[in-house]
Amino acid sequence: MRKHTVSIIVSDLETNPGLPRLLQSVSRQSTSLDRVEMIIAGNGGHPPSDPAIWQAITGIDAIRLLVLDGSATVSRARNLAAAEAEGDMLVFLRPDHRLDPKYLTTADTVFEDHPDTDVMYADYIRLAPRNNRSANPAMIQLPAFREGLLQARGFLGPAAMIRRELFQRTDGFRDNTFYRDWDLWVQAAYAGGVFHHVAYPLSSCEYHKVSFKERAEDGRCKAIIVINNQGFFHEHTVRWALSYLRGDSWAEAYGFMTIPGPMDVTRMLHDHAMRVMGTDALAEEAIRQFHRAALHSRP
């Protein structure tokens, strides 16, 4: 059977200092480097620009720098790089990601033993940031794939591999939500993609503290995922997303990085109705007490 070729795409718009360590983790793959190309999509700030130095670090001859203008977003960088990629399989990485030495070997086995697989994802190791004792390193064990899980959470983790043919059937990465990866995997599932879970940590990534902006935008970004992919979600969840974006009082942001399911939406509506009814009842009782007090105060 013909071995798949792999395009590793790295978006490095801020010229992350961790990029050389990612390149080294690629060079340490136990096999298959002759079937790998790398595309580094950046804004021209990659020092040095000599391809021979990049090739020496990675052990890969097929490595290219894609220089984008200063207005480029992560989504646009990834989409442009994917359009130029030549591999059968695509992997989208950040500079702080690292690949296990058996990443490519495991991918070969998965796609050969399970030829219907379109997306491979695996457990991963979360690394603690430097000089931060509040976050401990941990191995993150992911569940087997179910559409219901993806409808609730973007759980796939880093270094998922997708067939280029399936990626081309999606709209790629979108700019209208922070959760661009989650949105892509929803698109892939809705397009009929088959997901395969590897119960072994094949990558690692640094822990990132959630910013105030990310928390503030969480509800909106989740609602946009639902609106982007309405056919993938229950009609109650679509109603929630539309109502949240309109600012309807009953539609809450819900749990952080979690999209409410149909029962959750029903509960929101019920709780809101109870609160409204309770408020009206209290107001009516207050009016009655006001009138009684006014009658007693008359001479």
Coordinates of all heavy atoms in Angstrom, one line a residue, residues 11-71:
S11 N 1.7 27.9 11.9 CA 1.4 29.3 11.8 C 2.2 30.0 12.9 O 2.1 29.7 14.1 CB -0.1 29.6 12.0 OG -0.5 29.0 13.2
D12 N 3.1 30.9 12.5 CA 4.0 31.6 13.4 C 4.0 33.1 13.1 O 5.0 33.7 12.8 CB 5.4 31.0 13.2 CG 6.4 31.6 14.2 OD1 6.0 31.8 15.4 OD2 7.6 31.8 13.8
L13 N 2.8 33.7 13.3 CA 2.7 35.1 12.9 C 3.4 36.0 13.9 O 3.7 37.2 13.6 CB 1.2 35.5 12.8 CG 0.4 34.8 11.7 CD1 -1.0 35.2 11.8 CD2 1.0 35.0 10.4
E14 N 3.7 35.5 15.1 CA 4.3 36.3 16.1 C 5.8 35.9 16.4 O 6.4 36.3 17.3 CB 3.5 36.3 17.5 CG 2.1 36.9 17.3 CD 1.4 36.8 18.6 OE1 1.9 36.3 19.6 OE2 0.2 37.3 18.7
T15 N 6.3 35.0 15.5 CA 7.7 34.6 15.6 C 8.0 34.1 17.0 O 8.8 34.6 17.7 CB 8.7 35.7 15.2 OG1 8.2 36.3 14.0 CG2 10.0 35.1 14.9
N16 N 7.3 33.0 17.3 CA 7.4 32.4 18.7 C 8.8 31.8 18.9 O 9.3 31.0 18.0 CB 6.3 31.3 18.8 CG 6.2 30.8 20.2 OD1 7.1 30.3 20.8 ND2 5.0 31.0 20.8
P17 N 9.5 32.1 20.0 CA 10.8 31.5 20.3 C 10.8 30.0 20.4 O 11.9 29.4 20.4 CB 11.2 32.2 21.6 CG 10.0 32.6 22.2 CD 9.0 32.9 21.1
G18 N 9.7 29.4 20.6 CA 9.6 27.9 20.8 C 9.7 27.2 19.5 O 9.8 25.9 19.4
L19 N 9.6 27.9 18.3 CA 9.6 27.2 17.0 C 10.8 26.2 16.8 O 10.5 25.1 16.3 CB 9.5 28.3 15.9 CG 9.5 27.7 14.5 CD1 8.3 26.8 14.3 CD2 9.4 28.9 13.5
P20 N 12.0 26.6 17.1 CA 13.1 25.6 16.9 C 12.9 24.3 17.6 O 13.3 23.2 17.1 CB 14.3 26.4 17.4 CG 14.0 27.8 17.3 CD 12.5 27.9 17.6
R21 N 12.3 24.3 18.8 CA 12.1 23.1 19.5 C 11.0 22.2 18.8 O 11.1 21.0 18.8 CB 11.7 23.4 21.0 CG 12.8 23.9 21.8 CD 12.5 24.0 23.3 NE 11.5 25.0 23.6 CZ 11.8 26.3 23.8 NH1 13.0 26.7 23.6 NH2 10.8 27.1 24.1
L22 N 10.0 22.9 18.2 CA 9.0 22.1 17.4 C 9.7 21.5 16.2 O 9.5 20.3 15.9 CB 7.9 23.0 17.0 CG 7.0 22.5 15.9 CD1 6.3 21.2 16.3 CD2 6.0 23.5 15.4
L23 N 10.6 22.3 15.6 CA 11.3 21.7 14.4 C 12.2 20.5 14.8 O 12.3 19.5 14.1 CB 12.2 22.8 13.8 CG 11.5 24.1 13.3 CD1 12.5 25.1 12.7 CD2 10.4 23.7 12.3
Q24 N 12.8 20.6 16.0 CA 13.6 19.5 16.5 C 12.7 18.2 16.7 O 13.2 17.1 16.5 CB 14.4 19.9 17.7 CG 15.5 20.8 17.5 CD 16.3 21.1 18.7 OE1 15.7 21.3 19.8 NE2 17.6 21.3 18.6
S25 N 11.5 18.5 17.3 CA 10.7 17.3 17.5 C 10.2 16.6 16.2 O 10.0 15.4 16.2 CB 9.4 17.7 18.3 OG 8.5 18.4 17.5
V26 N 10.2 17.4 15.2 CA 9.9 16.8 13.8 C 11.1 16.0 13.4 O 11.0 14.9 12.9 CB 9.5 17.9 12.8 CG1 9.4 17.3 11.4 CG2 8.2 18.6 13.2
S27 N 12.3 16.5 13.6 CA 13.5 15.8 13.1 C 13.7 14.5 13.8 O 14.4 13.6 13.3 CB 14.7 16.8 13.3 OG 15.1 16.9 14.7
R28 N 13.1 14.4 15.0 CA 13.3 13.2 15.8 C 12.3 12.1 15.6 O 12.3 11.1 16.3 CB 13.3 13.5 17.3 CG 14.5 14.4 17.7 CD 14.4 14.9 19.1 NE 15.5 15.8 19.5 CZ 15.5 16.8 20.3 NH1 14.4 17.0 21.0 NH2 16.6 17.5 20.6
Q29 N 11.5 12.2 14.5 CA 10.6 11.2 14.2 C 11.3 9.9 13.8 O 12.3 9.9 13.2 CB 9.7 11.7 13.0 CG 8.8 12.8 13.3 CD 7.8 12.5 14.5 OE1 7.0 11.6 14.4 NE2 8.0 13.2 15.6
S30 N 10.7 8.8 14.2 CA 11.4 7.5 14.1 C 11.4 7.0 12.6 O 12.2 6.1 12.2 CB 10.7 6.4 15.0 OG 9.4 6.3 14.7
T31 N 10.5 7.6 11.8 CA 10.4 7.2 10.4 C 9.6 8.2 9.6 O 9.1 9.2 10.2 CB 9.7 5.8 10.3 OG1 9.8 5.3 8.9 CG2 8.3 5.9 10.7
S32 N 9.6 8.0 8.3 CA 8.7 8.7 7.4 C 9.0 10.2 7.1 O 8.3 10.8 6.4 CB 7.2 8.7 7.9 OG 6.8 7.4 8.2
L33 N 10.2 10.7 7.5 CA 10.6 12.0 7.2 C 10.7 12.3 5.7 O 10.6 13.4 5.2 CB 11.8 12.4 7.9 CG 11.7 12.8 9.4 CD1 13.1 13.2 10.0 CD2 10.7 14.0 9.6
D34 N 11.0 11.2 4.9 CA 11.1 11.4 3.5 C 9.8 11.7 2.8 O 9.8 12.1 1.6 CB 11.8 10.2 2.9 CG 11.0 8.9 3.1 OD1 10.3 8.8 4.2 OD2 11.0 8.0 2.3
R35 N 8.7 11.5 3.6 CA 7.4 11.8 3.0 C 6.7 13.0 3.7 O 5.5 13.1 3.6 CB 6.5 10.5 3.2 CG 6.9 9.4 2.4 CD 6.0 8.2 2.5 NE 6.2 7.5 3.8 CZ 5.4 7.5 4.8 NH1 4.3 8.2 4.7 NH2 5.6 6.8 5.9
V36 N 7.5 13.9 4.3 CA 7.0 15.0 5.0 C 7.5 16.3 4.4 O 8.6 16.4 4.0 CB 7.4 15.0 6.5 CG1 7.1 16.2 7.2 CG2 6.8 13.8 7.2
E37 N 6.6 17.3 4.3 CA 7.0 18.7 3.9 C 6.5 19.5 5.1 O 5.5 19.2 5.8 CB 6.3 19.1 2.6 CG 4.8 19.3 2.7 CD 4.3 20.1 1.5 OE1 5.1 20.6 0.7 OE2 3.1 20.2 1.3
M38 N 7.2 20.7 5.3 CA 6.8 21.6 6.3 C 6.6 23.0 5.6 O 7.4 23.4 4.8 CB 7.8 21.8 7.4 CG 7.9 20.6 8.3 SD 8.8 21.0 9.8 CE 7.6 22.0 10.7
I39 N 5.5 23.7 6.0 CA 5.2 25.0 5.6 C 5.1 25.9 6.8 O 4.2 25.7 7.6 CB 4.0 25.1 4.7 CG1 4.0 24.2 3.5 CG2 3.7 26.5 4.2 CD1 2.8 24.1 2.7
I40 N 6.0 26.9 6.9 CA 6.0 27.8 8.0 C 5.3 29.1 7.5 O 5.9 29.8 6.7 CB 7.4 28.1 8.6 CG1 8.2 26.8 8.8 CG2 7.3 28.9 9.9 CD1 7.6 25.8 9.8
A41 N 4.1 29.4 8.0 CA 3.4 30.6 7.6 C 3.6 31.7 8.6 O 3.2 31.6 9.7 CB 1.9 30.3 7.4
G42 N 4.3 32.7 8.2 CA 4.7 33.8 9.1 C 4.5 35.2 8.4 O 4.1 35.3 7.3
N43 N 5.0 36.2 9.1 CA 4.9 37.6 8.6 C 6.2 38.1 8.2 O 6.4 39.4 8.1 CB 4.2 38.5 9.7 CG 5.0 38.4 11.0 OD1 6.1 37.9 11.0 ND2 4.5 39.0 12.0
G44 N 7.2 37.3 7.9 CA 8.5 37.7 7.4 C 9.5 38.0 8.5 O 10.6 38.4 8.2
G45 N 9.1 37.7 9.7 CA 10.0 37.9 10.8 C 10.8 36.7 11.2 O 11.4 36.7 12.3
H46 N 10.9 35.7 10.4 CA 11.6 34.4 10.7 C 13.1 34.7 10.5 O 13.6 34.8 9.4 CB 11.2 33.3 9.8 CG 9.7 33.0 9.8 ND1 9.1 32.5 10.9 CD2 8.8 33.1 8.9 CE1 7.8 32.3 10.7 NE2 7.6 32.7 9.4
P47 N 13.9 34.7 11.6 CA 15.3 34.7 11.4 C 15.9 33.3 11.6 O 15.5 32.7 12.6 CB 15.8 35.7 12.5 CG 14.8 35.5 13.6 CD 13.5 35.1 12.9
P48 N 16.7 32.8 10.8 CA 17.2 33.4 9.5 C 16.3 33.0 8.4 O 15.4 32.1 8.5 CB 18.6 32.8 9.4 CG 18.4 31.4 10.0 CD 17.5 31.6 11.1
S49 N 16.5 33.5 7.2 CA 15.7 33.2 6.0 C 16.3 32.1 5.1 O 15.7 31.7 4.2 CB 15.4 34.5 5.2 OG 16.6 35.0 4.8
D50 N 17.6 31.7 5.4 CA 18.3 30.7 4.6 C 17.6 29.4 4.8 O 17.7 28.8 5.9 CB 19.7 30.7 5.1 CG 20.6 29.7 4.2 OD1 20.0 29.0 3.3 OD2 21.8 29.6 4.4
P51 N 17.0 28.8 3.8 CA 16.4 27.5 3.9 C 17.3 26.4 4.4 O 16.8 25.4 5.1 CB 15.9 27.2 2.5 CG 15.8 28.5 1.9 CD 16.9 29.3 2.4
A52 N 18.6 26.5 4.1 CA 19.5 25.4 4.5 C 19.6 25.3 6.0 O 19.7 24.2 6.6 CB 20.9 25.7 4.0
I53 N 19.4 26.4 6.8 CA 19.5 26.3 8.2 C 18.2 25.6 8.7 O 18.3 24.7 9.7 CB 19.6 27.7 8.8 CG1 20.9 28.3 8.4 CG2 19.5 27.7 10.3 CD1 21.1 29.7 8.9
W54 N 17.1 25.9 8.2 CA 15.8 25.2 8.6 C 15.9 23.7 8.2 O 15.5 22.9 9.0 CB 14.6 25.8 7.8 CG 14.4 27.3 8.2 CD1 15.1 28.4 7.7 CD2 13.4 27.8 9.1 NE1 14.5 29.5 8.3 CE2 13.5 29.2 9.1 CE3 12.4 27.2 9.9 CZ2 12.7 30.0 9.9 CZ3 11.6 28.0 10.7 CH2 11.8 29.4 10.7
Q55 N 16.5 23.4 7.1 CA 16.6 22.0 6.7 C 17.5 21.2 7.7 O 17.3 20.1 8.0 CB 17.1 21.9 5.3 CG 16.1 22.4 4.2 CD 16.8 22.7 2.9 OE1 18.0 22.5 2.7 NE2 16.0 23.0 1.9
A56 N 18.6 21.9 8.1 CA 19.5 21.3 9.0 C 18.9 21.0 10.4 O 19.1 19.9 11.0 CB 20.7 22.2 9.2
I57 N 18.0 21.8 10.8 CA 17.3 21.6 12.1 C 16.3 20.5 12.0 O 16.2 19.6 12.9 CB 16.6 22.9 12.6 CG1 17.6 24.0 12.9 CG2 15.8 22.6 13.9 CD1 17.0 25.3 13.2
T58 N 15.5 20.5 10.9 CA 14.4 19.5 10.8 C 14.8 18.2 10.2 O 14.1 17.2 10.4 CB 13.3 20.1 10.0 OG1 13.8 20.4 8.6 CG2 12.7 21.4 10.6
G59 N 15.9 18.2 9.4 CA 16.2 17.0 8.7 C 15.3 16.8 7.5 O 15.2 15.7 6.9
I60 N 14.6 17.8 7.1 CA 13.6 17.8 6.0 C 14.1 18.7 4.9 O 14.3 19.9 5.1 CB 12.2 18.1 6.4 CG1 11.7 17.2 7.5 CG2 11.2 18.2 5.3 CD1 10.4 17.6 8.1
D61 N 14.2 18.2 3.7 CA 14.6 19.1 2.5 C 13.4 19.9 2.1 O 13.5 21.1 1.7 CB 15.1 18.2 1.4 CG 16.4 17.6 1.7 OD1 17.2 18.1 2.5 OD2 16.7 16.5 1.1
A62 N 12.2 19.3 2.2 CA 11.0 20.0 1.7 C 10.4 20.9 2.8 O 9.5 20.6 3.5 CB 9.9 19.0 1.3
I63 N 11.0 22.1 3.0 CA 10.6 23.0 4.0 C 10.5 24.4 3.4 O 11.4 24.8 2.7 CB 11.5 23.0 5.3 CG1 10.9 24.0 6.3 CG2 12.9 23.4 5.0 CD1 11.5 23.8 7.7
R64 N 9.4 25.1 3.5 CA 9.1 26.3 2.9 C 8.7 27.4 3.9 O 8.0 27.1 4.8 CB 8.1 26.2 1.8 CG 8.5 25.4 0.6 CD 7.4 25.3 -0.4 NE 6.4 24.3 -0.1 CZ 5.2 24.3 -0.5 NH1 4.7 25.3 -1.3 NH2 4.3 23.3 -0.2
L65 N 9.1 28.6 3.6 CA 8.6 29.8 4.4 C 7.5 30.5 3.6 O 7.8 30.9 2.4 CB 9.7 30.7 4.8 CG 10.9 30.1 5.5 CD1 11.9 31.2 5.9 CD2 10.4 29.4 6.8
L66 N 6.3 30.6 4.1 CA 5.3 31.4 3.4 C 5.1 32.7 4.1 O 4.7 32.8 5.3 CB 3.9 30.6 3.5 CG 2.7 31.2 2.9 CD1 2.9 31.4 1.4 CD2 1.5 30.4 3.2
V67 N 5.5 33.8 3.4 CA 5.6 35.1 4.0 C 4.2 35.8 3.7 O 3.9 36.0 2.5 CB 6.7 35.9 3.5 CG1 6.7 37.3 4.1 CG2 8.0 35.2 3.8
L68 N 3.6 36.3 4.8 CA 2.3 36.9 4.6 C 2.4 38.4 5.1 O 3.3 38.7 5.8 CB 1.2 36.2 5.5 CG 1.1 34.7 5.2 CD1 0.1 34.1 6.2 CD2 0.6 34.4 3.8
D69 N 1.4 39.2 4.7 CA 1.4 40.6 5.1 C 1.0 40.7 6.6 O 0.5 39.8 7.2 CB 0.6 41.5 4.2 CG -0.9 41.0 4.2 OD1 -1.5 40.9 5.3 OD2 -1.5 40.9 3.2
G70 N 1.2 41.9 7.1 CA 1.0 42.1 8.6 C -0.5 42.0 9.0 O -0.8 41.9 10.2
S71 N -1.4 42.0 8.0 CA -2.8 41.9 8.4 C -3.3 40.5 8.4 O -4.5 40.2 8.8 CB -3.7 42.7 7.3 OG -3.6 42.1 6.1

